[in-house]
């Protein structure tokens, strides 16, 4: 007999299961776009130690668009140069390096290390800033039903999930609460991928206590519930791939070591394997340590007794590989062990209502330092799409691009991981270093997120040969908007485009207005803005054509201009009205007109944006940036019809009585 | 008859009256150095709107040393270039400018605008991070006694203050709580300097309700209680100076104006006076507006009826001066009026136990944008001195330097204000602009805090001609440590010296180690560090010679090294042991060895520190930085005896049984 409280039944537009980095990224969009949403997590608290820590420059750019990059920069540890240590054949280790990418300055931000717990904190703060959405912790999904009959009804709630609050027994307080200053060595293995799924056990324990349940009906479900994803299992999507026979230990320690590069990113190679060294905040260092192969530890069937891996054993391995340098520690903040393997789901979505993100659909070795980044970018990608569709602003068809865009990236991630992980067990010193640099360079644009590799879809109007249009050669649809530091025309303040292109849910038409000192160019700009704002016949003009994000923005499209004239030779009030919208209470909006001109008081603002974008400084160009800062379309200033066609394929037009 | 709760009697080492910017700055040091302290404020809440807003670069450098500069940078508005608008004689206004200081890049930070409420928030967060010290709000000081008989006893509590909790009537909730999004026009004049002192009235109202009282005995008292300072009156220190006959209005509004530079720093001049325009965060602009002279409004005795000044009247004045441009607003966040004048106390301290800071000892026109900066720097200056003396780490004699250092600066502030304010009422357009630029340039080094002008004392060992020593020509005792971005040797991370020289209460011996690749220089460094750390005869060596900051630091002196060799050609473990202290649990400390070498991934780290400091790259130099980042002594690497003499004059030596 079920307890009485099963009668509690609620509706929500979007249900997110799992409040790790990918779930929180998705939730950010719900908060930002005013979506009726819920987010639950079986864990009683957020993580505080260990887990993922690597932040690639693209992820930091996205943080800037959300508004908390400065907090990461204040606390995190930068890791740019890498050193490779190899044996010299005489019992010594010698340094090869430092190696630094020649492309390091292509982002405003450098790769950083900061533990997942802080990132979750910053995301939670952003969610709170924009909404009342709270993570419901200690809550687990128990049953799932899908009602096909309302699948096609945009107002329908085809998903039914029963949620159960975990009992204290199933969710012991403090389980994951090792504090930041923990000085004792942790006594057990933290959840690595060697641990079995505990979902069923947690439910059983809680059922026995007749804990509170709730039936939720949802329009959309986003499963961000990790490698053992319950959501994925409900929709019968497998995780395909294989596991190798290599077992690795991971430790976060405050090292006591005379190894010269213990505070620098790098590898240390020994006949029996290679250690990856990753310096972190608060004097901690993370080490990835090859521990053993399964053959050596168990019978031929490949079973593995995880109780055999201890912190002492991992320490012993480090000492052996670091020799003749010393290695020890008193403080271990976190440790775990994992079995190398690559698994990926064949699809990241089920129909047009259910989506899976992060570890739920791709697992791999953590050594490439990309897991949290890819997971967050998954959540970022599906989040805005579901939010805009749920808000009635975008067509449901765009949801299909999630799988198309992210699955390909996940495959590249696994490919990178296979190449990279292999290097840690194969090859000798010299060639290993060369191979490592080669692999890093091969995957660099992908790993840093400088290229997104998003293919053609209604959201990405690619040209042949994957190039930008002649008017904006480096503005490639499907890729990120190349970051530049700009001056605001009205007040002269500086801003990176990563922050300027704020993640607020809107598409952005970026008018690269060219040299507006010339009468011709001024006129082209005027004609363009008139086309964008005024009705020209039966259909509404671009800015009056589409349904709003109700409660957030009257128009789902923001328009900004970036001109190339010197800052002092142009006046704000000379720009067309749609670039300085007027409100009788708030006055003019000043933050839509920007300038690509060098500024003497900031070396990063060098006036070379047009050059970086491949845009003619006189003639300019036009670009549509998606809500996630990726370029959707690029063309010339007069191509309003083409622009409109692009947007018509994505956004929902106002109905007759609303708009025209 | 007094109420019974007068029996409550407490002791504290330091009592701070007033929790505005200067009081909070002083409180920061108490929090940081673990001092037993109390801080009270008559206001029921911190300020949220209006008040001061200008942040000079030196203040931002100090914020960086405390750890929250990044928060100011994220929220604040930069104001670097200034435009001067003057009549052209044909009824138009013409722009002269923009004018930008040629010295703008001498600090890592640019002048910013952000309201006082946010600054107080950041300071409160820092205090909370380091201690349990809380501001006690709605508490007023009622009586004061000084017991001369224990004046000379370092353990004595000569100060007795009765505190009274204000009644609800005296301290109406919400009085100062106008929210940041307030959309209505405020209905009254906020406290400007035209309002009479309400201290006695507040006490009377609260006494009538027999509110809670407490007797506090304190070793030190810091009065940061504003222009009507109760503390100053208790010790009979006057505020000397005069008031002019000019009345000014100040408004924080979201302007609706077609004036081209409404979002830029500048002035607008008209026959009847000059308006100062200061753009701020959240699209607000602050305007300083000449309203009228007293003669025009009242009788010849100079009395002034403040009820005659209304927001409408100020708006009308702006409209007249801005013509032919329009000006209006719907949102007024805050407004006030003040009478121009300069007043200063002849001394900022009474004996060696009582100190006054901020508006309590100097009041002036707010138009120079320095008030909050000077007040905070007062609190910063007296705070560390009192904290170290209260901690038993520094000699009480250093407290005398507070008045010597800050009084001179306050006089310069008033001098600047007299020059600057005069320009707003005298002169015509063209010459006015020239004069304004001249005055700004004349006072620039002072205003920005690039020069501190601290004179010779036990804390500042100046050379003749006010220069740096031959070994470090631009390291001038009494001035700030010229900011440079450096690389940490161990991990390659970058840090500005402003953050590196953390405000933690310690003196810092900065060893500019020179080119440590050479054997000679390596040897000089070794000899120096041996002298610093080892006992050489009767007296303890520098690092084992002085009393600790109990509960915070075993040694009141921190030592760091900055070498000039290329980052890749030097190893961390080659540096002497005192530069990499070892702890059996925490391992080596890595953050004491830094490198002045250019870094390819950050243009601000250009390897030109030695050049800026006037130090030979081969031979190096040595500098002592006070806890407030000012240079106390500078010399050559071998001058340990001189260094020791400097420190002996400031710090308390360990007693025989402790140290030797």
């Amino acid at each position: 007999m079920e307890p009485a409280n099963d009668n509690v039944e609620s509706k929500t537009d979007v249900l997110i299961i799992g409040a790790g980095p990918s779930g929180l990224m998705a939730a950010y969009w719900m908060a930002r776009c005013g979506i009726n949403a819920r987010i639950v997590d079986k864990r009683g608290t957020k993580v505080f130690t260990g887990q993922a820590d690597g932040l690639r420059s693209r992820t930091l750019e996205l943080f800037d668009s959300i508004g908390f990059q400065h907090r990461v920069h204040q606390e995190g540890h930068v890791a740019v140069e890498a050193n490779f240590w190899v044996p010299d054949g005489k019992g010594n280790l010698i340094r090869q390096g430092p190696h630094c990418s020649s492309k390091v300055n292509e982002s405003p931000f450098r790769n950083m290390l900061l533990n997942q717990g802080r990132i979750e904190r910053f995301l939670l703060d952003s969610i709170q800033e924009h909404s009342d959405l709270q993570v419901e912790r200690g809550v687990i999904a128990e049953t799932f039903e899908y009602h096909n009959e309302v699948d096609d009804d945009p107002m329908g709630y085809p998903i039914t999930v029963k949620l159960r609050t975990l009992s204290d027994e199933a969710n012991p307080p403090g389980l994951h609460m090792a504090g930041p200053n923990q000085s004792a060595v942790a006594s057990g293995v933290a959840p690595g991928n060697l641990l079995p799924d505990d979902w069923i056990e947690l439910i059983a324990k809680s059922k026995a206590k007749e804990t509170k349940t709730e039936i939720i009906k949802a329009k959309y479900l986003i499963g961000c519930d990790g490698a053992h994803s319950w959501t994925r299992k409900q929709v019968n999507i497998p995780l395909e791939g294989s596991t190798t026979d290599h077992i690795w230990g991971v430790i976060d320690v405050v090292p006591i070591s005379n190894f010269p590069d213990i505070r620098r990113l790098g590898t240390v190679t020994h006949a029996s394997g290679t250690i990856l060294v990753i310096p972190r905040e608060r004097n901690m260092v993370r080490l990835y340590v090859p521990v053993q192969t399964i053959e050596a530890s168990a019978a031929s069937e490949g079973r593995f007794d995880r109780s055999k891996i201890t912190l002492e054993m991992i320490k012993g391995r480090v000492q052996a590989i670091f020799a003749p340098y010393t290695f020890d520690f008193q403080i271990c903040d976190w440790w775990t062990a994992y079995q190398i393997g690559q698994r990926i789901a064949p699809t990241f979505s089920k129909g047009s209502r259910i989506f899976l993100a992060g570890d739920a659909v791709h697992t791999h070795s953590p050594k490439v330092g990309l897991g949290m980044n890819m997971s967050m970018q998954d959540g970022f990608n599906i989040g805005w799409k579901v939010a805009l569709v749920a808000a009635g602003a975008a067509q449901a068809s765009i949801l299909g691009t999630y799988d198309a865009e992210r699955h390909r990236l996940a495959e590249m991630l696994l490919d990178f991981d296979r190449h990279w992980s292999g290097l840690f067990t194969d090859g000798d010193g010299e060639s290993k270093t060369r191979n490592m640099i080669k692999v890093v360079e091969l995957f660099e644009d992908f790993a840093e997120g400088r290229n997104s590799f998003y293919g053609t879809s209604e959201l990405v109007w690619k040209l042949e040969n994957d190039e930008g249009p002649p008017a904006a050669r480096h503005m490639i649809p499907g890729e990120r908007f190349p970051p530049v530091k700009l001056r605001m025309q009205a007040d002269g303040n500086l801003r990176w485009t990563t922050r300027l292109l704020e993640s607020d849910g809107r598409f952005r038409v970026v008018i690269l207005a060219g040299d507006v000192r010339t009468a011709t160019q001024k006129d082209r700009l005027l004609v363009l803005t008139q086309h964008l704002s005024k009705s020209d016949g039966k259909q509404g003009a671009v800015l009056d054509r589409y349904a709003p994000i109700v409660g957030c923005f009257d128009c789902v499209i923001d328009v900004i201009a970036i001109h190339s004239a010197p800052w002092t030779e142009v006046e704000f009030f000379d720009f067309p009205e749609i670039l300085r919208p007027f409100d009788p209470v708030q006055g003019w909006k000043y933050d839509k007109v920007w300038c690509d001109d060098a500024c003497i008081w900031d070396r990063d603002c060098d006036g070379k944006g047009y050059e970086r974008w491949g845009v003619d400084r006189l003639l300019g160009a036009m670009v549509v940036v998606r809500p996630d800062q990726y370029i959707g379309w690029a063309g010339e200033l007069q191509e309003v019809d083409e622009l409109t066609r692009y947007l018509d394929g994505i956004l929902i037009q106002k109905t007759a009585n609303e708009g025209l």
Side-chain angles (χ1 to χ4, degrees), chain A:
Chain A
M1 190 189 117
E2 296 288 346
N5 61 11
D6 249 10
N7 294 328
V8 177
E9 192 175 304
S10 328
K11 281 183 175 173
T12 188
D13 283 359
V14 182
L15 174 63
I16 300 169
I17 298 182
S22 56
L24 290 175
M25 270 293 208
Y28 166 77
W29 286 113
M30 307 310 147
R32 200 62 214 253
C33 298
I35 305 302
N36 178 11
R38 302 275 295 269
I39 175 167
V40 300
D41 196 295
K42 67 173 182 169
R43 295 176 302 178
T45 67
K46 65 186 254 312
V47 302
F48 290 90
T49 61
Q51 315 288 347
D53 57 0
L55 295 164
R56 298 292 188 146
S57 54
R58 178 62 189 156
T59 303
L60 295 170
E61 292 173 12
L62 297 181
F63 289 170
D64 202 32
S65 77
I66 294 176
F68 64 77
Q69 192 281 329
H70 65 299
R71 299 180 68 183
V72 178
H73 189 259
Q74 181 77 358
E75 294 186 24
H77 185 88
V78 176
V80 176
E81 293 102 339
N83 290 285
F84 304 92
W85 289 78
V86 294
D88 68 351
K90 301 172 201 156
N92 300 311
L93 287 169
I94 54 166
R95 180 197 279 135
Q96 297 179 329
H99 174 77
C100 182
S101 165
S102 60
K103 296 182 177 176
V104 65
N105 292 323
E106 291 193 10
S107 171
F109 312 114
R110 309 286 161 259
N111 287 347
M112 299 198 89
L113 287 307
L114 185 63
N115 93 67
Q116 182 176 329
R118 292 304 291 160
I119 305 304
E120 292 183 9
R121 165 51 48 214
F122 302 152
L123 275 168
L124 288 165
D125 288 349
S126 283
I127 289 168
Q128 192 176 22
E129 186 186 335
H130 294 290
S131 73
D132 298 326
L133 184 59
Q134 295 277 342
V135 176
E136 300 163 54
R137 299 195 185 274
V139 173
I140 199 165
E142 183 172 319
T143 65
F144 169 86
E145 287 169 37
Y146 194 84
H147 301 274
N148 280 309
E149 64 276 17
V150 292
D151 189 78
D152 290 335
D153 174 10
M155 294 293 112
Y157 293 82
I159 297 150
T160 303
V161 169
K162 187 206 272 187
L163 297 178
R164 180 177 290 279
T165 301
L166 291 179
S167 66
D168 290 347
E169 194 192 5
N171 180 29
L175 177 63
H176 302 287
M177 287 207 53
N181 296 314
Q182 182 183 355
S183 62
V185 170
S187 58
V189 179
N193 69 355
L194 299 174
L195 284 183
D197 187 9
D198 60 356
W199 202 280
I200 290 166
E201 183 191 339
L202 293 178
I203 291 177
K205 277 184 183 169
S206 303
K207 254 186 165 167
K209 296 285 180 185
E210 297 193 359
T211 58
K212 187 179 148 199
T213 61
E214 178 185 3
I215 303 292
I216 290 207
K217 290 179 169 294
K219 290 179 182 168
Y220 298 96
L221 175 62
I222 307 179
C224 304
D225 42 356
H228 295 300
S229 175
W230 173 90
T231 312
R232 195 189 67 239
K233 289 169 191 159
Q234 305 313 305
V235 293
N236 296 312
I237 295 175
L239 210 48
E240 296 168 346
S242 61
T243 310
T244 69
D245 51 6
H246 300 295
I247 305 291
W248 284 70
V250 191
I251 55 177
D252 280 352
V253 300
V254 177
I256 298 173
S257 168
N258 63 1
F259 174 59
D261 282 352
I262 193 69
R263 292 291 307 155
R264 295 178 185 175
L265 182 67
T267 59
V268 182
T269 290
H270 180 269
S272 67
T274 296
I275 286 177
L276 178 60
V277 180
I278 301 176
R280 302 184 47 163
E281 74 277 12
R282 296 186 286 119
N283 273 354
M284 280 194 299
V285 171
R286 168 166 294 190
L287 300 175
Y288 288 97
V289 186
V291 177
Q292 61 180 1
T293 58
I294 290 175
E295 285 84 350
S297 72
S300 57
E301 64 261 44
R303 280 186 300 110
F304 169 70
D305 180 5
R306 57 172 276 269
S307 71
K308 288 203 176 155
I309 298 189
T310 65
L311 188 54
E312 275 301 312
M313 175 210 244
I314 298 172
K315 182 165 87 177
R317 289 287 291 148
V318 180
Q319 286 168 335
I321 294 175
F322 269 36
Y325 297 110
T326 61
F327 176 81
D328 203 345
F329 56 83
Q330 297 290 321
I331 298 174
C332 175
D333 205 50
W334 180 82
W335 70 281
T336 190
Y338 65 94
Q339 189 167 359
I340 288 193
Q342 287 89 22
R343 292 175 182 274
I344 186 169
T347 173
F348 292 1
S349 57
K350 181 78 171 187
S352 58
R353 303 281 198 159
I354 299 170
F355 306 93
L356 302 163
D359 290 353
V361 279
H362 44 76
T363 66
H364 56 94
S365 147
K367 279 197 303 293
V368 293
L370 263 174
M372 180 162 66
N373 297 272
M374 291 296 285
S375 293
M376 283 194 285
Q377 287 171 29
D378 284 352
F380 201 71
N381 189 297
I382 188 57
W384 73 264
K385 293 171 184 173
V386 166
L388 286 194
V389 172
Q395 299 169 32
S397 58
I398 68 165
L399 298 173
T401 63
Y402 170 64
D403 180 60
E405 292 181 345
R406 297 306 299 174
H407 196 274
R408 181 176 180 188
L409 272 281
E411 281 176 340
M412 295 178 78
L413 168 64
L414 267 58
D415 196 28
F416 181 23
D417 183 42
R418 265 185 294 266
H419 279 80
W420 185 243
S421 290
L423 291 171
F424 281 74
T425 40
D426 311 327
D428 68 3
E430 286 282 346
S431 69
K432 179 173 291 200
T433 300
R434 276 196 308 276
N435 288 336
M436 281 187 159
I437 292 173
K438 207 191 292 175
V439 168
V440 166
E441 286 176 350
L442 186 66
F443 286 94
E444 182 179 358
D445 284 340
F446 156 73
E448 299 303 333
R450 286 195 285 265
N451 283 15
S452 62
F453 304 97
Y454 289 171
T456 291
S457 72
E458 58 266 53
L459 288 174
V460 176
W461 282 24
K462 281 189 115 62
L463 303 180
E464 289 182 19
N465 300 324
D466 210 11
E467 288 176 354
R473 291 186 316 285
H474 307 141
M475 293 289 210
I476 304 167
E479 303 303 334
R480 70 168 186 171
F481 190 97
V484 166
K485 203 167 197 177
L486 301 172
R487 292 202 93 175
M488 201 191 290
Q489 182 61 40
D491 67 17
N493 273 228
L494 308 183
R495 205 169 292 173
W496 281 103
T497 50
T498 46
R499 188 171 169 206
L500 172 57
L501 302 174
E502 187 184 354
S503 290
D504 61 12
R506 290 181 294 176
F507 280 76
R508 225 161 240 119
V509 173
V510 181
I511 301 172
L512 301 169
D515 191 341
V516 291
R517 288 174 300 180
T518 69
T520 332
Q521 196 64 13
K522 222 169 175 170
D523 193 52
R524 289 184 77 202
L525 177 61
L526 187 64
V527 169
L528 165 63
T529 58
Q530 282 171 346
H531 275 123
L532 291 175
S533 60
K534 284 187 189 161
S535 183
D536 57 349
K538 276 189 195 167
Q539 295 282 9
V542 172
L543 296 185
D544 191 35
R545 190 177 178 86
Y546 306 110
I549 307 177
V550 179
C552 289
F553 293 105
D554 289 340
C555 184
V556 68
I557 299 165
D558 186 27
V559 180
I560 63 169
I562 305 168
H563 70 80
S564 63
W567 181 62
T568 53
E569 295 185 26
V570 174
E571 299 291 340
F572 171 74
F573 281 105
D574 288 346
F575 282 82
E577 282 182 20
I578 68 161
L579 293 170
R580 42 183 181 87
F582 181 76
D583 176 276
V585 174
Q586 297 289 341
W588 281 279
K589 276 190 87 65
Y590 299 103
D591 59 355
K592 291 169 167 292
V593 182
W594 296 79
C595 171
D596 176 35
D597 188 18
C599 171
I600 62 159
W601 47 271
D602 190 321
R603 306 192 221 198
D604 286 331
C605 180
D606 58 9
K608 293 184 178 165
Y610 273 61
E611 190 180 309
R612 251 166 242 143
W613 298 326
V615 174
D616 186 279
R617 287 194 83 83
L618 174 61
L619 297 174
M622 184 159 57
V623 176
V624 180
V625 183
R626 314 184 335 176
D628 55 3
Q629 298 197 326
Y630 289 97
I631 296 168
W633 176 90
E636 296 180 32
L637 284 184
Q638 62 270 31
E639 295 186 87
V640 180
D641 291 345
E642 194 77 349
L643 168 76
T644 309
R645 274 194 294 278
Y646 168 79
L647 295 169
D648 278 354
I650 299 164
L651 300 171
I652 290 180
Q653 293 183 39
K654 288 179 182 174
T655 51
N657 57 350
E658 280 176 343
L660 304 178

